[in-house]
Amino acid sequence: MWRRLRSALRRLRRSPAALLAGGGRPPAAMERAVVRCVPSEPKLSLRFVLPDGSARHMQRDQAEPLGRALARIATNAAKGPAKAAKKSKKARAEGRPAGEAAVAAPAVRLFSRDGEAVAEEVPNAAAWQDGAVLQIGEAQYRVERNPPALTELRLPRSLLAGFPVCPKVNAEFAAPQHCLFRWYREQRPAGGDGEAAGGDGPAWVEAAGGERVFTPSNAMVGLRLKLRCTPGDGAQRYGPPQEVESSGPVEAGPGACTFDSRHLYTKKVCGQGSIRAVSYNILADTYAQTEFSRTVLYPYCAPYALELDYRQNLLKKELAGYSADLICLQEVDKSVFVDSLAPALDAFGLEGLFKIKEKQHEGLATFYRRDKFSLLSQHDIAFSEALLSDPLHQELRDKLAQYPLVQEKVLQRSSVLQVSVLQSATDPSRKICVANTHLYWHPKGGNIRLIQIAVALSHIKHIACDLYPSIPVIFCGDFNSTPSSGTYSFINSGVIAEDHEDWVSNGEEERCNMPLSHPFKLLSACGEPAYTNYVGGFHGCLDYIFIDKNALEVEQVIPLPSHEEVTTHQALPSVSHPSDHIALICDLKWK
């Protein structure tokens, strides 16, 4: 009896209720009981490690009474010692029956943060709160509810000296901007074999701390990098850290790039009343990595410079250096957006939106600066689908029905339009409609492009005139149209005559004469450069940033690379330029 009393007193002395009632504190080195409880899921999970070292991972219904969960924990906690007792040679030698080897289940309680025992009828979802204490026998566990946790931590496959390394960080109950980052480089050993003394693998030296993005120096060429990331939630809660090592060493960069001189104009983000806009066809990997591209389109380009990993290094440095508020990209591979551009530009304060082309692996991406804009709504369309089914385009649909050959060709195209309505973070009365597109590419497809742009402008009119009356428009893209084309003329002037030569761009067989108009007063903010696309067999101006000249004006246009820079390696892309197009960049301000 005295033995049982002493045991009870010992349990009382160590219970959180007794500690807190007496002004004491639970032990600082308490074990963790990690609870994951998400409202949208029916079950919560509970993970802890028993004193014998065995890990327990349980799933319980969120609505279940706490008492049932505690009973299950008690049963689980008794399983380990019971198994050990059954296997005991001593028990077998003494000839005890198997039943005597059973171990009594320990007492299991849950105490709230203020030390009160949580009633057993309370549902699990309400019972397991952060900071509560779980007691299993004499062992105590601090409950951590939904602690920050990393779900993915990855470094790019290719690392270049002088180019930013942007990790892909995905976390639960945490955000990359609240995580802690520490960067390490391999220590260059005296023997040059890359191994630490004793042959235990590479020795690591801290290279930088605190920054999410790290730019390796030339001194690190030949060395691998390691990143240690601790997930955080912005409320001083941190989860267990993870480490990731680069798959290969830092390689030498290409030296001067075509965009270096442009960065001199864009070192800082422009002021609150201004908007820096970028439009750029970045050359999809799905088109760059074909035999036709390597041998016919870009035979002058070194094969390694067409590799996606190499081009991504250049592209991320180029885009980050423009300090843009809006970036509209075309020919964005879905995997490039998800795994490379979105994580990298997120680290530089930009939020990304993606619209894939139907039946394609590439599409459009629009990025906006988070501290300047918030997203109000998205209105993306596929031209063929909208033309078929949207009442907005009934008149155009009826006209096109008279030309079945052209109609069929238009409906076969996978081109899309991305439209985002943004609101100024500092002046909520200021809203803007940002459109992004990539029109049909064929040199003889002028008539198809005219119909696509008519659909686009009609759709934008619905948003900027009906849904959000009188908001200004910025319309970016690769329009595959030179300044002498019908498409450019239509956008610029607001009308296209039914006898324009582009209606017969693919011969009399595909003639489709129809007058078109739109209500906008649009201006090409960057003018009409000699070229925005420069490849071996063609150069011309195909890309534009059209702005609503009633509401916006151009502050400055960032000069394009010089002809000497563009042709240093004959044409584009090259070892110093990641695409066959050139980015357009301008600073705009509200009138």
Side-chain angles (χ1 to χ4, degrees):
M1 186 181 107
W2 283 108
R3 201 160 45 239
R4 283 202 302 274
L5 184 57
R6 277 198 304 273
S7 177
L9 284 168
R10 200 159 53 238
R11 281 202 301 274
L12 179 64
R13 279 201 303 273
R14 294 187 183 184
S15 76
L19 280 165
L20 293 169
R25 285 185 166 277
M30 207 182 287
E31 291 290 330
R32 303 163 70 227
V34 177
V35 173
R36 183 182 177 280
C37 183
V38 180
S40 60
E41 297 176 9
K43 292 182 183 290
L44 59 73
S45 69
L46 172 64
R47 287 184 289 116
F48 55 91
V49 178
L50 290 168
D52 66 3
S54 58
R56 292 288 183 267
H57 186 188
M58 302 170 62
Q59 299 271 343
R60 308 301 297 179
D61 284 334
Q62 292 198 28
E64 173 191 63
L66 171 66
R68 287 191 197 171
L70 297 181
R72 172 57 68 183
I73 292 170
T75 305
N76 266 340
K79 278 181 183 173
K83 283 179 184 174
K86 283 179 183 177
K87 289 178 181 176
S88 166
K89 289 181 182 177
K90 188 177 178 183
R92 286 200 299 273
E94 291 174 0
R96 294 201 304 265
E100 285 185 25
V103 175
V108 179
R109 308 278 304 276
L110 183 67
F111 297 88
S112 65
R113 294 179 71 163
D114 59 10
E116 295 295 320
V118 181
E120 293 194 349
E121 61 271 15
V122 175
N124 279 325
W128 298 93
Q129 294 297 323
D130 195 56
V133 174
L134 170 66
Q135 184 148 356
I136 304 174
E138 295 185 12
Q140 292 178 346
Y141 300 82
R142 170 79 65 196
V143 173
E144 293 183 22
R145 181 178 171 121
N146 297 341
L150 291 170
T151 55
E152 185 177 22
L153 183 64
R154 250 200 289 167
L155 292 178
R157 283 193 297 257
S158 168
L159 310 174
L160 295 181
F163 288 74
V165 179
C166 309
K168 186 180 182 189
V169 182
N170 280 324
E172 193 172 43
F173 316 118
Q177 61 266 33
H178 301 309
C179 295
L180 306 178
F181 297 91
R182 299 208 83 76
W183 292 89
Y184 301 84
R185 61 163 177 84
E186 276 181 310
Q187 186 167 13
R188 208 182 292 276
D193 60 359
E195 293 289 313
D200 294 329
W204 297 96
V205 178
E206 188 165 334
E211 294 299 325
R212 183 170 157 194
V213 177
F214 175 66
T215 302
S217 66
N218 287 328
M220 295 178 195
V221 170
L223 302 177
R224 290 189 306 134
L225 299 181
K226 180 171 79 170
L227 171 64
R228 180 183 176 89
C229 176
T230 305
D233 64 359
Q236 296 302 307
R237 287 207 314 162
Y238 293 96
Q242 281 188 29
E243 293 185 348
V244 62
E245 297 175 11
S246 64
S247 56
V250 175
E251 297 175 353
C257 289
T258 54
F259 45 80
D260 290 341
S261 57
R262 308 185 86 190
H263 285 172
L264 299 175
Y265 297 86
T266 60
K267 286 181 177 177
K268 293 180 181 176
V269 176
C270 53
Q272 283 298 343
S274 302
I275 302 167
R276 180 167 299 142
V278 174
S279 184
Y280 196 5
N281 179 326
I282 63 171
L283 179 57
D285 184 53
T286 193
Y287 306 138
Q289 293 284 23
T290 64
E291 191 60 29
F292 183 72
S293 298
R294 285 189 289 265
T295 58
V296 179
L297 288 180
Y298 319 120
Y300 46 82
C301 184
Y304 75 85
L306 283 174
E307 294 284 338
L308 177 63
D309 292 339
Y310 180 87
R311 292 196 301 118
Q312 282 300 300
N313 270 305
L314 270 63
L315 187 64
K316 285 183 279 193
K317 181 175 184 178
E318 178 177 8
L319 291 175
Y322 291 146
S323 309
D325 302 310
L326 295 173
I327 301 178
C328 291
L329 303 178
Q330 304 84 42
E331 287 197 25
V332 183
D333 299 271
K334 186 177 182 181
S335 60
V336 165
F337 177 82
V338 172
D339 295 326
S340 181
L341 289 180
L345 294 178
D346 177 75
F348 291 100
L350 295 154
E351 192 74 32
L353 308 166
F354 183 70
K355 172 65 177 175
I356 198 161
K357 286 182 184 176
E358 301 299 316
K359 307 171 210 163
Q360 304 274 340
H361 298 292
E362 54 95 359
L364 307 170
T366 297
F367 292 87
Y368 61 91
R369 187 162 294 282
R370 269 191 301 267
D371 61 6
K372 271 199 174 181
F373 296 105
S374 60
L375 177 68
L376 284 185
S377 56
Q378 290 175 261
H379 308 270
D380 305 344
I381 58 166
F383 289 130
S384 57
E385 197 179 302
L387 190 55
L388 268 178
S389 58
D390 194 326
L392 275 177
H393 312 299
Q394 184 65 55
E395 188 183 342
L396 182 58
R397 191 157 55 239
D398 292 344
K399 287 179 183 175
L400 194 57
Q402 300 170 45
Y403 308 101
L405 272 180
V406 180
Q407 183 184 45
E408 185 185 1
K409 222 168 200 181
V410 170
L411 296 179
Q412 283 173 351
R413 305 275 67 82
S414 59
S415 311
V416 292
L417 173 73
Q418 187 179 35
V419 185
S420 314
V421 178
L422 305 176
Q423 183 174 45
S424 166
T426 53
D427 182 355
S429 68
R430 282 184 170 172
K431 300 177 182 68
I432 196 152
C433 175
V434 181
N436 181 17
T437 197
H438 186 189
L439 301 185
Y440 180 46
W441 63 274
H442 200 284
K444 293 183 178 180
N447 56 346
I448 308 298
R449 285 187 284 278
L450 275 170
I451 292 160
Q452 288 182 334
I453 202 66
V455 174
L457 290 166
S458 179
H459 184 69
I460 294 167
K461 173 178 174 282
H462 174 61
I463 295 152
C465 300
D466 302 337
L467 300 182
Y468 298 91
S470 304
I471 67 167
V473 171
I474 297 178
F475 192 3
C476 302
D478 175 356
F479 294 83
N480 272 312
S481 305
T482 62
S484 62
S485 67
T487 295
Y488 181 84
S489 174
F490 176 44
I491 297 169
N492 235 13
S493 67
V495 293
I496 187 86
E498 62 182 319
D499 60 352
H500 193 283
E501 62 182 4
D502 273 15
W503 289 123
V504 285
S505 61
N506 201 29
E508 284 295 329
E509 208 175 65
E510 288 187 20
R511 173 188 286 275
C512 55
N513 299 97
M514 54 180 94
L516 299 172
S517 65
H518 70 78
F520 299 109
K521 303 293 181 196
L522 297 174
L523 164 81
S524 173
C526 298
E528 300 169 5
Y531 51 78
T532 60
N533 175 231
Y534 199 104
V535 293
F538 170 84
H539 61 270
C541 179
L542 304 177
D543 306 84
Y544 305 94
I545 298 174
F546 292 106
I547 62 167
D548 188 334
K549 59 186 178 187
N550 288 335
L552 299 166
E553 58 184 327
V554 181
E555 254 186 336
Q556 72 163 338
V557 176
I558 307 307
L560 273 68
S562 69
H563 186 66
E564 289 69 33
E565 288 172 311
V566 171
T567 56
T568 298
H569 303 280
Q570 190 174 333
L572 306 179
S574 70
V575 294
S576 60
H577 191 87
S579 175
D580 54 345
H581 286 249
I582 299 166
L584 293 175
I585 313 146
C586 61
D587 289 358
L588 310 170
K589 67 176 179 180
W590 304 83
K591 277 191 173 179

